[in-house]
Amino acid sequence: MSEGTATTTDLDVRLEKHRVELTGYCYRMLGSSFEAEDAVQDTMVRAWRSYDKFEGRSSIRSWLYRIATNVCLDMLNAGNRRARPMDLTGPSPLAQAALTPRPDNTWLEPVPDARVLPTISDPAEAAVAKESVRLAFMAALQQLPPKQRDVRILREVLAWKASEVAELLGTTVASVNSALQRARATLAEREGTAGAVCDPLDEEQQKLLERYVAAFEGYDMTALTALLHEDAIMTMPPFDLWLRGPGDITGFMTTLGASCAGSRLLPVSVNGLPGFAHYKPDPEQGGFGAWAIQALEISDGRITGFHCFLDTERWFPLFGLPLQLEAEAH
């Protein structure tokens, strides 16, 4: 069957097989899990409506990326750049720690790996894909103007040729190369902060995570301190507070965060990083209530980033997780 004569069912199937990679593309562009889902849905609807005009001059994949690019660039015209707490303010000393929320659209959002990372058989390509959704890389992308961001993603994450990107964007190869050079220059000073998480995790990193779970669930601050890098960072969106160093992090956990003692952690894959769904004791309903999605950055055998996304009503359903655990669940 030619691309111009697809049946309704066939077209559904052919569009749907690109959903995960398109969601990953839109997520990198927008920095928001939910906006990425909306952008892909809009892309699919536009593709449906205009399929009779698609003449097969390019592949369906390229055509969908062109539509998705236009959708994302339209959404980015509002000028909002999503960020992490440390992109906006300096660290707070523990004595001045205050939980001040900012609007949802301020923050770089977490995303489950399965929603944005298609199955890739080549281990090296799979590793690159994971690195390209890690929080530090995503935050760096957000510093770029939309067109430079798009060129960087298409050229260096998705490995498109300069000529293919030029055709998609309706510009010249020289313009694409220039945008890529500017993007590289902007990001040069920001990259290299994402840690060194292996894919898959090596034995040392697996053991580090096991020790972390034991220390956190046991609320053993001495054990936790031993796992944290001296410059480790803790963030808690939607609050703009962030803490640096084991002393302030564990100090916060035993004061403002003391109700998390006795919590349970369930492993999740988030932004190409090891993570956990954090449930804390629920004195009203019993068992454990959803509290945060944690994403951990690791480097040189220590935890360097400890990022807690607290909007449970949004994140736990996105990750396919219940909002309550029974007391015996673990």
Side-chain angles (χ1 to χ4, degrees):
M1 180 178 292
S2 72
E3 291 197 307
T5 59
T7 65
T8 297
T9 303
D10 180 54
L11 181 57
D12 273 340
V13 171
R14 296 175 73 188
L15 294 179
E16 196 62 30
K17 74 177 185 179
H18 297 287
R19 181 176 292 274
V20 173
E21 66 169 312
L22 284 172
T23 305
Y25 172 61
C26 294
Y27 174 68
R28 295 178 185 100
M29 284 289 288
L30 302 170
S32 163
S33 321
F34 293 105
E35 286 184 0
E37 300 270 2
D38 289 345
V40 171
Q41 198 55 36
D42 192 359
T43 297
M44 296 298 188
V45 170
R46 292 189 192 191
W48 251 107
R49 288 175 176 166
S50 60
Y51 188 77
D52 58 339
K53 299 174 185 174
F54 174 61
E55 299 173 352
R57 287 175 292 188
S58 63
S59 68
I60 275 194
R61 181 173 182 259
S62 296
W63 181 59
L64 286 172
Y65 269 93
R66 182 176 292 110
I67 297 171
T69 296
N70 291 331
V71 170
C72 288
L73 291 176
D74 286 346
M75 293 173 75
L76 288 169
N77 277 340
N80 182 50
R81 294 184 181 187
R82 290 177 177 269
R84 302 168 300 172
M86 57 275 206
D87 300 322
L88 302 178
T89 65
S92 299
L94 179 59
Q96 299 172 19
L99 297 176
T100 307
R102 294 205 190 190
D104 288 341
N105 66 2
T106 305
W107 304 116
L108 180 62
E109 296 180 351
V111 71
D113 285 2
R115 286 188 178 246
V116 294
L117 296 175
T119 302
I120 299 173
S121 57
D122 184 307
E125 287 184 24
V128 168
K130 278 196 170 185
E131 287 169 10
S132 72
V133 294
R134 289 188 180 150
L135 295 171
F137 183 81
M138 288 290 302
L141 281 178
Q142 296 293 303
Q143 301 303 307
L144 298 174
K147 287 284 180 67
Q148 287 183 32
R149 192 184 312 176
D150 197 19
V151 169
R152 177 67 187 260
I153 294 166
L154 290 168
R155 289 282 287 118
E156 297 196 335
V157 175
L158 301 177
W160 285 42
K161 297 175 182 176
S163 57
E164 294 171 327
V165 177
E167 182 181 354
L168 182 143
L169 295 177
T171 187
T172 64
V173 169
S175 177
V176 167
N177 289 338
S178 176
L180 182 58
Q181 286 181 336
R182 293 198 302 276
R184 284 172 174 168
T186 300
L187 298 186
E189 65 213 33
R190 295 184 57 90
E191 296 189 292
T193 60
V197 182
C198 296
D199 179 36
L201 297 177
D202 62 27
E203 185 178 357
E204 180 185 4
Q205 291 174 343
Q206 289 280 15
K207 288 181 177 177
L208 174 64
L209 292 180
E210 290 168 9
R211 291 166 63 199
Y212 169 75
V213 171
F216 194 98
E217 291 189 341
Y219 233 56
D220 183 340
M221 295 301 122
T222 301
L224 187 59
T225 296
L227 306 180
L228 295 174
H229 189 275
E230 61 182 11
D231 289 325
I233 285 171
M234 179 181 183
T235 68
M236 292 164 282
F239 301 115
D240 59 12
L241 169 74
W242 65 280
L243 302 163
R244 171 177 278 152
D248 278 358
I249 291 172
T250 58
F252 178 88
M253 291 174 67
T254 53
T255 53
L256 291 175
S259 63
C260 290
S263 290
R264 294 290 176 263
L265 299 180
L266 301 181
V268 295
S269 295
V270 50
N271 286 83
L273 296 165
F276 296 93
H278 172 193
Y279 292 84
K280 74 173 186 176
D282 186 339
E284 294 182 3
Q285 298 188 50
F288 302 88
W291 185 245
I293 295 293
Q294 300 180 358
L296 271 59
E297 293 170 326
I298 298 172
S299 185
D300 297 326
R302 292 286 183 272
I303 294 168
T304 56
F306 171 46
H307 306 291
C308 306
F309 297 91
L310 301 180
D311 193 345
T312 55
E313 296 288 339
R314 302 179 81 212
W315 305 131
F316 277 64
L318 184 70
F319 280 78
L321 295 164
L323 292 174
Q324 287 287 132
L325 289 182
E326 298 298 327
E328 67 274 16
H330 189 79

